[in-house]
């Protein structure tokens, strides 16, 4: 049989492998794609994560997006119950059924928003357009939503369509895109920090929105609740 490989031969093979990896790393440097072990990259600080382009902008956007969405989610049935639609007032059970049209619009809006973002590759622009459209819809819903049941359901559906889309997009695709920033590329810990800042900002808005609405509710200011969302 063949003699077993000597120790020197094994060492030479190991050296050749190391040189090959180093050469591959040098080529990757030239191409701008550096191979790094995520376990060796430390997590970035909070302030460094905040300074990454896009983090603060999307954090503020998600703050207001979730403030609106969660205010409608928790308070819309009560608001519908407190108003007259086409001169008729509905009981709490029927009001809750009517309010589901906002959620249905939000589901479809989230899907369409994601599709547009994938097709265009412009997540920020898609979010801005959706949020811009949602602002006048709040005024339209407040002033014209009581004309008829068709107007109530239709405006509520469209409002959910445009207000929920950015919320779903920012919490998913946008956070993933920010993870490709040069400051955190390849670091799972840094990506977690960025995602936590964005989602945490949205959670603050989700907490404040229903709380403000509940304060107004306790003061019997039912029909002014939508005005808080405008601010």
């Amino acid at each position: 049989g063949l003699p077993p490989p000597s120790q020197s031969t094994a060492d030479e093979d190991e050296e050749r492998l190391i040189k090959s990896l180093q050469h591959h790393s040098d080529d990757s440097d030239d191409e701008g794609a550096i191979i790094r072990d995520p376990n060796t990259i430390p997590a970035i600080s909070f302030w460094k994560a905040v300074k990454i382009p896009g983090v603060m902008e999307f954090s503020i956007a998600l703050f207001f997006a979730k403030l609106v969405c969660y205010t409608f989610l928790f308070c819309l049935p009560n608001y519908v119950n407190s108003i007259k639609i086409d001169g008729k007032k509905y009981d709490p059970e029927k009001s809750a059924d009517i309010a589901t049209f906002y959620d249905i619009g939000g589901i479809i809006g989230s899907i369409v928003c994601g599709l547009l973002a994938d097709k265009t590759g412009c997540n920020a622009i898609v979010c801005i357009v959706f949020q811009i459209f949602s602002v006048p819809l709040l005024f339209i819903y407040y002033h014209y939503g009581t004309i008829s049941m068709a107007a109530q359901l239709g405006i509520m559906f469209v409002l959910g369509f445009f207000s929920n889309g950015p919320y779903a997009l920012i919490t998913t695709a946008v956070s993933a895109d920010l993870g490709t920033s040069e400051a955190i590329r390849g670091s799972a810990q840094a990506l977690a920090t960025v995602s936590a800042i964005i989602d945490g900002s949205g959670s603050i808005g989700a907490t404040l929105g229903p709380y403000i609405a509940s304060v107004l509710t306790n003061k019997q200011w039912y029909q002014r609740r939508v005005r808080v969302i405008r601010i």
Side-chain angles (χ1 to χ4, degrees):
L2 296 174
S6 63
Q7 182 65 33
S8 60
T9 303
D11 293 340
E12 291 175 357
D13 292 340
E14 184 176 354
E15 289 179 2
R16 283 196 298 268
L17 177 60
I18 294 174
K19 289 180 180 180
S20 177
L21 291 175
Q22 290 176 342
H23 178 70
H24 186 280
S25 178
D26 293 338
D27 293 341
S28 298
D29 289 344
D30 295 336
E31 298 173 1
I34 303 175
I35 299 177
R36 295 185 289 184
D37 184 2
N39 296 324
T40 63
I41 303 174
I44 60 177
S45 65
F46 173 84
W47 294 113
K48 187 176 180 181
V50 169
K51 293 178 181 178
I52 295 176
V55 172
M56 279 301 299
E57 292 86 342
F58 282 111
S59 296
I60 295 172
L62 186 60
F63 172 87
F64 288 104
K66 292 190 76 169
L67 184 147
V68 172
C69 292
Y70 276 76
T71 300
F72 272 95
L73 177 65
F74 289 105
C75 302
L76 187 57
N78 192 23
Y79 174 76
V80 174
N81 177 246
S82 68
I83 62 176
K84 291 182 179 181
I85 302 174
D86 196 14
K88 183 179 179 181
K89 196 169 184 178
Y90 293 90
D91 57 58
E93 183 178 355
K94 184 65 175 180
S95 299
D97 293 337
I98 295 173
T100 58
F101 272 75
Y102 177 82
D103 300 316
I104 296 173
I107 294 171
I108 299 176
S110 299
I111 296 173
V112 174
C113 190
L115 290 174
L116 290 176
D118 289 339
K119 290 290 185 180
T120 62
C122 303
N123 295 336
I125 294 177
V126 172
C127 289
I128 291 173
V129 171
F130 269 64
Q131 290 190 319
I132 288 175
F133 274 105
S134 67
V135 173
L137 283 169
L138 289 169
F139 287 88
I140 295 173
Y141 175 71
Y142 178 74
H143 289 288
Y144 302 103
T146 57
I147 294 176
S148 65
M149 180 58 71
Q152 175 72 207
L153 297 179
I155 299 173
M156 185 185 297
F157 177 89
V158 178
L159 179 59
F161 180 94
F162 283 104
S163 61
N164 271 347
Y167 157 45
L169 185 63
I170 293 173
T171 55
T172 53
V174 169
S175 296
D177 288 346
L178 289 176
T180 63
S181 171
E182 288 295 335
I184 61 176
R185 181 176 295 176
S187 174
Q189 297 91 337
L191 178 57
T193 302
V194 170
S195 299
I197 292 172
I198 296 176
D199 289 340
S201 300
S203 298
I204 295 174
T207 303
L208 289 178
Y211 173 75
I212 295 173
S214 67
V215 172
L216 298 182
T217 300
N218 292 333
K219 293 180 179 294
Q220 304 296 314
W221 294 345
Y222 293 118
Q223 296 192 11
R224 296 185 183 180
R225 194 172 311 158
V226 176
R227 295 179 183 176
V228 176
I229 303 173
R230 298 176 191 169
I231 298 174

